[in-house]
Amino acid sequence: MARESLEEDSGLAYLGRLSRWQTMLQQLSADDPTYKDIVAQKMIAAAEALNRGIDERTVRVLGRYTESEMVEIRGAAEEFRIDDAEVDLEAAVLDPDELAAEDDDRPSSGRPPLRSV
């Protein structure tokens, strides 16, 4: 478990991001120019935490999500899994040397990296 917490792409790392985004939102008003972006980043962190094995109830409580918001997050998590599977499939047909070169430039999930908090 301690080793997982050190990995940038682990469920615990995404849970930490979710917590930090939630804390930031509590300090902002809804009309703040960064509010919508932070809500989106928080949702990404929640979906990625689910995809990395974090219990849904934990994500819901920590992110203070309603059931309808959790439906949206589960949908986003499914989309991310589909996207990741497509990237993996494309990678499987590439030459190993090409794959290594692309891995240097592309985030591991196929999506842009989350902004640091």
Side-chain angles (χ1 to χ4, degrees):
M1 184 75 89
R3 181 181 189 134
E4 181 183 5
S5 67
L6 299 175
E7 295 177 18
E8 187 175 312
D9 206 32
S10 71
L12 291 176
Y14 281 104
L15 201 59
R17 290 178 187 127
L18 171 62
S19 176
R20 288 188 298 276
W21 289 123
Q22 177 60 35
T23 299
M24 288 180 72
L25 283 175
Q26 291 172 308
Q27 299 169 0
L28 298 175
S29 64
D31 61 341
D32 187 286
T34 61
Y35 191 87
K36 287 182 181 180
D37 184 47
I38 292 172
V39 168
Q41 292 292 323
K42 182 182 152 198
M43 188 191 83
I44 291 169
E48 293 290 13
L50 288 177
N51 281 342
R52 284 160 179 78
I54 300 297
D55 181 66
E56 186 173 314
R57 194 173 89 194
T58 301
V59 170
R60 182 177 180 178
V61 169
L62 192 62
R64 298 185 180 184
Y65 289 116
T66 64
E67 181 53 37
S68 63
E69 290 170 322
M70 285 305 297
V71 168
E72 183 179 355
I73 290 165
R74 285 190 296 270
E78 177 64 22
E79 287 179 31
F80 293 170
R81 286 191 302 273
I82 291 169
D83 290 347
D84 290 346
E86 289 174 358
V87 167
D88 290 345
L89 183 61
E90 290 173 8
V93 297
L94 289 176
D95 178 282
D97 293 330
E98 288 180 40
L99 181 59
E102 282 190 20
D103 281 346
D104 292 339
D105 299 329
R106 182 178 51 189
S108 63
S109 66
R111 289 177 290 288
L114 291 175
R115 289 190 2 226
S116 60
V117 187

